[in-house]
Amino acid sequence: MPNPGLICSQCNDVADVVTPLNGSSLLAKTMAGELIVALHTRCTEAWADKNNCETLVPLKKMRRRYDNNSTLSAPH
């Protein structure tokens, strides 16, 4: 059975996927633009240096707000 998780963008180690216990998904701002990367904690600094990263911020979980269990809440 495949191991659920993301592959680290720095080491690409498929045997050691990125999980909340050993890394995270991050929003990176580089000279090429913004992108989302999955990185092991141990690989974060090397990836940032290699890609001339300006900022590296953990992604926050996106949640939708529902009204009446079926429609999105509209701003008033």
Side-chain angles (χ1 to χ4, degrees):
M1 184 170 159
N3 200 358
L6 300 171
I7 305 301
C8 179
S9 295
Q10 174 64 24
C11 68
N12 296 310
D13 185 355
V14 296
D16 186 16
V17 295
V18 177
T19 68
L21 299 176
N22 68 5
S24 61
S25 296
L26 305 151
L27 176 63
K29 184 176 180 183
T30 67
M31 296 299 283
E34 292 183 347
L35 60 140
I36 296 172
V37 294
L39 295 167
H40 292 116
T41 303
R42 67 178 183 269
C43 296
T44 302
E45 189 174 335
W47 186 91
D49 290 342
K50 178 181 172 184
N51 292 281
N52 296 321
C53 188
E54 296 173 12
T55 58
L56 200 56
V57 181
L59 284 180
K60 294 181 180 178
K61 292 183 180 178
M62 297 177 68
R63 296 182 182 152
R64 290 186 178 191
R65 294 183 185 176
Y66 289 93
D67 220 14
N68 298 330
N69 296 329
S70 62
T71 59
L72 290 172
S73 298
H76 298 284

